[in-house]
Amino acid sequence: LAKTTQPISMDSYEGQEVNITCSHNNIATNDYITWYQQFPSQGPRFIIQGYKTKVTNEVASLFIPADRKSSTLSLPRVSLSDTAVYYCLVITFGNEKLTFGTGTRLTIIP
Amino acid sequence: KAGVTQTPRYLIKTRGQQVTLSCSPISGHRSVSWYQQTPGQGLQFLFEYFSETQRNKGNFPGRFSGRQFSNSRSEMNVSTLELGDSALYLCASSLKRDTYEQYFGPGTRLTVT
């Protein structure tokens, strides 16, 4: 599985857009990029998944450049409830063995 | 639809004992995976079950085992507990194997003293 590198922590003010970047230099052709969110004392929650270019759902966007060696999770207009740890994962399709990176601890400041 | 449930939520055991944790997946989900989360090692994959068969296994000693029943419910067992086994044990289910989207339960917090 490809190894991911993320910033350890980030702070942002309420109402701002937050971008969390993940590096995955050795991503393989069949790999997909996924992001999970985890609150204290809870299991991770799936946010978004993508393969290339841009993917958007009701809570986030995922930007993936053409070389796919990095990706950016974008959270629009964050609120205090977005304070959590965000994990970037690269998954080989068909491999259910999720290997989480160290994650980014996002703190939203009122 | 009910989410993934795990029982018990909290557990305290003594070194050398064994423990069994239970996971009930979302109705209709056939794949169940287990993970261990600790502050030092983060989230680590233990094993995955699908149709009552173990399909994938992480790098954990044989003291960690699991099984899946015909109703997709799963149990994991840890024998001869060590202090280092103290962790949050998470169960995740998915509808099928070829998916990146897993739904996690709240976890079982195991403390070994």
Side-chain angles (χ1 to χ4, degrees):
Chain A
L1 288 169
K3 183 177 178 181
T4 63
T5 304
Q6 305 173 231
I8 293 174
S9 64
M10 293 179 65
D11 294 338
S12 180
Y13 288 98
E14 271 191 296
Q16 292 190 330
E17 177 185 75
V18 171
N19 295 311
I20 306 175
T21 298
C22 176
S23 172
H24 27 79
N25 290 325
N26 59 339
I27 191 169
T29 304
N30 294 333
D31 290 346
Y32 281 72
I33 298 155
T34 63
W35 286 81
Y36 279 77
Q37 174 194 54
Q38 187 177 26
F39 297 110
S41 301
Q42 293 186 26
R45 183 177 72 97
F46 173 82
I47 302 174
I48 197 167
Q49 171 269 340
Y51 183 78
K52 60 181 179 180
T53 63
K54 177 183 174 182
V55 178
T56 298
N57 61 22
E58 62 276 9
V59 298
S61 295
L62 178 58
F63 299 92
I64 306 167
D67 65 6
R68 306 198 325 123
K69 292 185 183 299
S70 67
S71 58
T72 300
L73 173 71
S74 181
L75 305 172
R77 298 179 300 281
V78 293
S79 64
L80 295 177
S81 63
D82 293 315
T83 294
V85 179
Y86 292 81
Y87 293 94
C88 161
L89 300 93
V90 175
I91 301 171
T92 300
F93 196 74
N95 183 341
E96 288 61 48
K97 189 187 301 186
L98 272 67
T99 302
F100 288 81
T102 52
T104 298
R105 184 173 300 278
L106 175 64
T107 302
I108 304 303
I109 305 165
Chain B
K1 182 155 54 168
V4 177
T5 58
Q6 293 186 244
T7 56
R9 290 294 311 278
Y10 303 91
L11 203 51
I12 300 175
K13 288 287 188 179
T14 304
R15 216 168 18 170
Q17 288 185 316
Q18 76 164 15
V19 66
T20 298
L21 312 181
S22 181
C23 171
S24 293
I26 291 173
S27 178
H29 285 198
R30 297 172 61 194
S31 175
V32 174
S33 297
W34 288 88
Y35 298 84
Q36 181 196 65
Q37 185 172 31
T38 60
Q41 299 298 318
L43 275 151
Q44 295 183 283
F45 172 79
L46 280 158
F47 28 66
E48 182 229 350
Y49 286 87
F50 183 82
S51 293
E52 302 178 64
T53 301
Q54 187 180 91
R55 305 289 181 159
N56 258 320
K57 191 177 191 304
N59 296 324
F60 279 82
R63 300 186 296 107
F64 292 81
S65 63
R67 59 177 176 169
Q68 186 181 34
F69 302 95
S70 58
N71 61 358
S72 294
R73 191 176 69 83
S74 177
E75 289 181 347
M76 70 162 280
N77 183 276
V78 187
S79 62
T80 319
L81 284 166
E82 301 177 0
L83 295 179
D85 297 332
S86 293
L88 180 67
Y89 289 89
L90 292 159
C91 165
S93 74
S94 57
L95 190 59
K96 53 182 181 175
R97 293 206 70 218
D98 294 341
T99 179
Y100 43 78
E101 186 171 351
Q102 295 189 345
Y103 295 84
F104 284 80
T108 294
R109 172 74 60 186
L110 172 65
T111 301
V112 182
T113 62

